[in-house]
mmCIF file with all atom_site columns, all heavy atoms in Angstrom:
data_model
loop_
_atom_site.group_PDB
_atom_site.id
_atom_site.type_symbol
_atom_site.label_atom_id
_atom_site.label_alt_id
_atom_site.label_comp_id
_atom_site.label_asym_id
_atom_site.label_entity_id
_atom_site.label_seq_id
_atom_site.pdbx_PDB_ins_code
_atom_site.Cartn_x
_atom_site.Cartn_y
_atom_site.Cartn_z
_atom_site.occupancy
_atom_site.B_iso_or_equiv
_atom_site.pdbx_formal_charge
_atom_site.auth_seq_id
_atom_site.auth_comp_id
_atom_site.auth_asym_id
_atom_site.auth_atom_id
_atom_site.pdbx_PDB_model_num
ATOM 1   N N   . ALA I 1 12 ? -127.442 -45.127 -115.630 1.00 98.00 ? 12 ALA I N   1
ATOM 2   C CA  . ALA I 1 12 ? -128.899 -45.148 -115.990 1.00 98.00 ? 12 ALA I CA  1
ATOM 3   C C   . ALA I 1 12 ? -129.445 -43.912 -115.316 1.00 98.00 ? 12 ALA I C   1
ATOM 4   O O   . ALA I 1 12 ? -130.277 -43.169 -115.920 1.00 98.00 ? 12 ALA I O   1
ATOM 5   C CB  . ALA I 1 12 ? -129.456 -46.348 -115.193 1.00 98.00 ? 12 ALA I CB  1
ATOM 6   N N   . ALA I 1 13 ? -129.015 -43.513 -114.069 1.00 98.00 ? 13 ALA I N   1
ATOM 7   C CA  . ALA I 1 13 ? -129.595 -42.265 -113.467 1.00 98.00 ? 13 ALA I CA  1
ATOM 8   C C   . ALA I 1 13 ? -129.158 -41.096 -114.215 1.00 98.00 ? 13 ALA I C   1
ATOM 9   O O   . ALA I 1 13 ? -130.004 -40.066 -114.468 1.00 98.00 ? 13 ALA I O   1
ATOM 10  C CB  . ALA I 1 13 ? -128.908 -42.141 -111.983 1.00 98.00 ? 13 ALA I CB  1
ATOM 11  N N   . PHE I 1 14 ? -127.792 -40.904 -114.612 1.00 98.00 ? 14 PHE I N   1
ATOM 12  C CA  . PHE I 1 14 ? -127.419 -39.840 -115.413 1.00 98.00 ? 14 PHE I CA  1
ATOM 13  C C   . PHE I 1 14 ? -128.166 -39.695 -116.775 1.00 98.00 ? 14 PHE I C   1
ATOM 14  O O   . PHE I 1 14 ? -128.656 -38.542 -117.162 1.00 98.00 ? 14 PHE I O   1
ATOM 15  C CB  . PHE I 1 14 ? -125.897 -39.903 -115.710 1.00 98.00 ? 14 PHE I CB  1
ATOM 16  C CG  . PHE I 1 14 ? -125.054 -39.912 -114.548 1.00 98.00 ? 14 PHE I CG  1
ATOM 17  C CD1 . PHE I 1 14 ? -123.712 -40.602 -114.597 1.00 98.00 ? 14 PHE I CD1 1
ATOM 18  C CD2 . PHE I 1 14 ? -125.374 -39.290 -113.454 1.00 98.00 ? 14 PHE I CD2 1
ATOM 19  C CE1 . PHE I 1 14 ? -122.865 -40.478 -113.529 1.00 98.00 ? 14 PHE I CE1 1
ATOM 20  C CE2 . PHE I 1 14 ? -124.567 -39.287 -112.282 1.00 98.00 ? 14 PHE I CE2 1
ATOM 21  C CZ  . PHE I 1 14 ? -123.332 -39.882 -112.318 1.00 98.00 ? 14 PHE I CZ  1
ATOM 22  N N   . ALA I 1 15 ? -128.387 -40.802 -117.398 1.00 98.00 ? 15 ALA I N   1
ATOM 23  C CA  . ALA I 1 15 ? -129.122 -40.644 -118.663 1.00 98.00 ? 15 ALA I CA  1
ATOM 24  C C   . ALA I 1 15 ? -130.563 -40.279 -118.538 1.00 98.00 ? 15 ALA I C   1
ATOM 25  O O   . ALA I 1 15 ? -131.141 -39.618 -119.237 1.00 98.00 ? 15 ALA I O   1
ATOM 26  C CB  . ALA I 1 15 ? -129.154 -42.072 -119.352 1.00 98.00 ? 15 ALA I CB  1
ATOM 27  N N   . ASP I 1 16 ? -131.174 -40.850 -117.389 1.00 97.00 ? 16 ASP I N   1
ATOM 28  C CA  . ASP I 1 16 ? -132.599 -40.422 -117.052 1.00 97.00 ? 16 ASP I CA  1
ATOM 29  C C   . ASP I 1 16 ? -132.669 -38.872 -116.747 1.00 97.00 ? 16 ASP I C   1
ATOM 30  O O   . ASP I 1 16 ? -133.600 -38.201 -117.182 1.00 97.00 ? 16 ASP I O   1
ATOM 31  C CB  . ASP I 1 16 ? -133.172 -41.173 -115.912 1.00 97.00 ? 16 ASP I CB  1
ATOM 32  C CG  . ASP I 1 16 ? -133.610 -42.606 -116.260 1.00 97.00 ? 16 ASP I CG  1
ATOM 33  O OD1 . ASP I 1 16 ? -133.919 -42.915 -117.403 1.00 97.00 ? 16 ASP I OD1 1
ATOM 34  O OD2 . ASP I 1 16 ? -133.455 -43.470 -115.413 1.00 97.00 ? 16 ASP I OD2 1
ATOM 35  N N   . ILE I 1 17 ? -131.711 -38.421 -115.884 1.00 97.00 ? 17 ILE I N   1
ATOM 36  C CA  . ILE I 1 17 ? -131.776 -37.022 -115.614 1.00 97.00 ? 17 ILE I CA  1
ATOM 37  C C   . ILE I 1 17 ? -131.544 -36.232 -116.923 1.00 97.00 ? 17 ILE I C   1
ATOM 38  O O   . ILE I 1 17 ? -132.374 -35.149 -117.175 1.00 97.00 ? 17 ILE I O   1
ATOM 39  C CB  . ILE I 1 17 ? -130.635 -36.541 -114.613 1.00 97.00 ? 17 ILE I CB  1
ATOM 40  C CG1 . ILE I 1 17 ? -130.884 -37.173 -113.232 1.00 97.00 ? 17 ILE I CG1 1
ATOM 41  C CG2 . ILE I 1 17 ? -130.549 -35.145 -114.523 1.00 97.00 ? 17 ILE I CG2 1
ATOM 42  C CD1 . ILE I 1 17 ? -132.240 -36.674 -112.523 1.00 97.00 ? 17 ILE I CD1 1
ATOM 43  N N   . GLU I 1 18 ? -130.634 -36.492 -117.662 1.00 96.00 ? 18 GLU I N   1
ATOM 44  C CA  . GLU I 1 18 ? -130.477 -35.806 -118.887 1.00 96.00 ? 18 GLU I CA  1
ATOM 45  C C   . GLU I 1 18 ? -131.691 -35.829 -119.888 1.00 96.00 ? 18 GLU I C   1
ATOM 46  O O   . GLU I 1 18 ? -132.063 -34.769 -120.542 1.00 96.00 ? 18 GLU I O   1
ATOM 47  C CB  . GLU I 1 18 ? -129.277 -36.410 -119.819 1.00 96.00 ? 18 GLU I CB  1
ATOM 48  C CG  . GLU I 1 18 ? -128.026 -36.136 -119.071 1.00 96.00 ? 18 GLU I CG  1
ATOM 49  C CD  . GLU I 1 18 ? -126.843 -36.909 -119.594 1.00 96.00 ? 18 GLU I CD  1
ATOM 50  O OE1 . GLU I 1 18 ? -127.078 -37.844 -120.449 1.00 96.00 ? 18 GLU I OE1 1
ATOM 51  O OE2 . GLU I 1 18 ? -125.736 -36.687 -119.343 1.00 96.00 ? 18 GLU I OE2 1
ATOM 52  N N   . SER I 1 19 ? -132.463 -36.963 -119.794 1.00 96.00 ? 19 SER I N   1
ATOM 53  C CA  . SER I 1 19 ? -133.688 -37.007 -120.601 1.00 96.00 ? 19 SER I CA  1
ATOM 54  C C   . SER I 1 19 ? -134.931 -36.154 -120.034 1.00 96.00 ? 19 SER I C   1
ATOM 55  O O   . SER I 1 19 ? -135.827 -35.921 -120.810 1.00 96.00 ? 19 SER I O   1
ATOM 56  C CB  . SER I 1 19 ? -134.220 -38.466 -120.550 1.00 96.00 ? 19 SER I CB  1
ATOM 57  O OG  . SER I 1 19 ? -134.806 -38.919 -119.494 1.00 96.00 ? 19 SER I OG  1
ATOM 58  N N   . PHE I 1 20 ? -134.675 -35.731 -118.826 1.00 94.00 ? 20 PHE I N   1
ATOM 59  C CA  . PHE I 1 20 ? -135.824 -34.843 -118.269 1.00 94.00 ? 20 PHE I CA  1
ATOM 60  C C   . PHE I 1 20 ? -135.605 -33.317 -118.704 1.00 94.00 ? 20 PHE I C   1
ATOM 61  O O   . PHE I 1 20 ? -136.622 -32.659 -118.447 1.00 94.00 ? 20 PHE I O   1
ATOM 62  C CB  . PHE I 1 20 ? -135.697 -34.788 -116.666 1.00 94.00 ? 20 PHE I CB  1
ATOM 63  C CG  . PHE I 1 20 ? -135.908 -36.255 -116.136 1.00 94.00 ? 20 PHE I CG  1
ATOM 64  C CD1 . PHE I 1 20 ? -135.511 -36.420 -114.822 1.00 94.00 ? 20 PHE I CD1 1
ATOM 65  C CD2 . PHE I 1 20 ? -136.650 -37.096 -116.717 1.00 94.00 ? 20 PHE I CD2 1
ATOM 66  C CE1 . PHE I 1 20 ? -135.731 -37.795 -114.256 1.00 94.00 ? 20 PHE I CE1 1
ATOM 67  C CE2 . PHE I 1 20 ? -136.876 -38.398 -116.075 1.00 94.00 ? 20 PHE I CE2 1
ATOM 68  C CZ  . PHE I 1 20 ? -136.411 -38.711 -114.807 1.00 94.00 ? 20 PHE I CZ  1
ATOM 69  N N   . PHE I 1 21 ? -134.583 -33.007 -119.357 1.00 93.00 ? 21 PHE I N   1
ATOM 70  C CA  . PHE I 1 21 ? -134.394 -31.681 -120.025 1.00 93.00 ? 21 PHE I CA  1
ATOM 71  C C   . PHE I 1 21 ? -134.854 -31.676 -121.341 1.00 93.00 ? 21 PHE I C   1
ATOM 72  O O   . PHE I 1 21 ? -134.845 -32.613 -122.180 1.00 93.00 ? 21 PHE I O   1
ATOM 73  C CB  . PHE I 1 21 ? -132.854 -31.241 -119.842 1.00 93.00 ? 21 PHE I CB  1
ATOM 74  C CG  . PHE I 1 21 ? -132.480 -30.957 -118.634 1.00 93.00 ? 21 PHE I CG  1
ATOM 75  C CD1 . PHE I 1 21 ? -131.983 -31.799 -117.615 1.00 93.00 ? 21 PHE I CD1 1
ATOM 76  C CD2 . PHE I 1 21 ? -132.361 -29.523 -118.207 1.00 93.00 ? 21 PHE I CD2 1
ATOM 77  C CE1 . PHE I 1 21 ? -131.546 -31.551 -116.304 1.00 93.00 ? 21 PHE I CE1 1
ATOM 78  C CE2 . PHE I 1 21 ? -131.925 -29.227 -116.998 1.00 93.00 ? 21 PHE I CE2 1
ATOM 79  C CZ  . PHE I 1 21 ? -131.535 -30.201 -116.086 1.00 93.00 ? 21 PHE I CZ  1
ATOM 80  N N   . LEU I 1 22 ? -135.263 -30.384 -121.863 1.00 92.00 ? 22 LEU I N   1
ATOM 81  C CA  . LEU I 1 22 ? -135.724 -30.264 -123.260 1.00 92.00 ? 22 LEU I CA  1
ATOM 82  C C   . LEU I 1 22 ? -134.345 -30.433 -124.151 1.00 92.00 ? 22 LEU I C   1
ATOM 83  O O   . LEU I 1 22 ? -133.325 -30.185 -123.764 1.00 92.00 ? 22 LEU I O   1
ATOM 84  C CB  . LEU I 1 22 ? -136.129 -28.711 -123.411 1.00 92.00 ? 22 LEU I CB  1
ATOM 85  C CG  . LEU I 1 22 ? -137.442 -28.470 -122.781 1.00 92.00 ? 22 LEU I CG  1
ATOM 86  C CD1 . LEU I 1 22 ? -137.627 -26.952 -122.704 1.00 92.00 ? 22 LEU I CD1 1
ATOM 87  C CD2 . LEU I 1 22 ? -138.698 -29.208 -123.376 1.00 92.00 ? 22 LEU I CD2 1
ATOM 88  N N   . SER I 1 23 ? -134.674 -31.097 -125.374 1.00 92.00 ? 23 SER I N   1
ATOM 89  C CA  . SER I 1 23 ? -133.474 -31.401 -126.183 1.00 92.00 ? 23 SER I CA  1
ATOM 90  C C   . SER I 1 23 ? -132.750 -30.192 -126.634 1.00 92.00 ? 23 SER I C   1
ATOM 91  O O   . SER I 1 23 ? -131.531 -30.200 -126.889 1.00 92.00 ? 23 SER I O   1
ATOM 92  C CB  . SER I 1 23 ? -134.064 -32.145 -127.382 1.00 92.00 ? 23 SER I CB  1
ATOM 93  O OG  . SER I 1 23 ? -135.000 -31.382 -128.079 1.00 92.00 ? 23 SER I OG  1
ATOM 94  N N   . THR I 1 24 ? -133.500 -29.032 -126.782 1.00 92.00 ? 24 THR I N   1
ATOM 95  C CA  . THR I 1 24 ? -132.795 -27.715 -127.158 1.00 92.00 ? 24 THR I CA  1
ATOM 96  C C   . THR I 1 24 ? -131.901 -27.284 -126.132 1.00 92.00 ? 24 THR I C   1
ATOM 97  O O   . THR I 1 24 ? -130.920 -26.495 -126.444 1.00 92.00 ? 24 THR I O   1
ATOM 98  C CB  . THR I 1 24 ? -133.919 -26.600 -127.341 1.00 92.00 ? 24 THR I CB  1
ATOM 99  O OG1 . THR I 1 24 ? -134.709 -26.528 -126.035 1.00 92.00 ? 24 THR I OG1 1
ATOM 100 C CG2 . THR I 1 24 ? -134.850 -26.950 -128.551 1.00 92.00 ? 24 THR I CG2 1
#
Side-chain angles (χ1 to χ4, degrees):
F14 296 152
D16 282 333
I17 292 292
E18 291 169 349
S19 76
F20 296 159
F21 283 82
L22 295 167
S23 59
T24 53

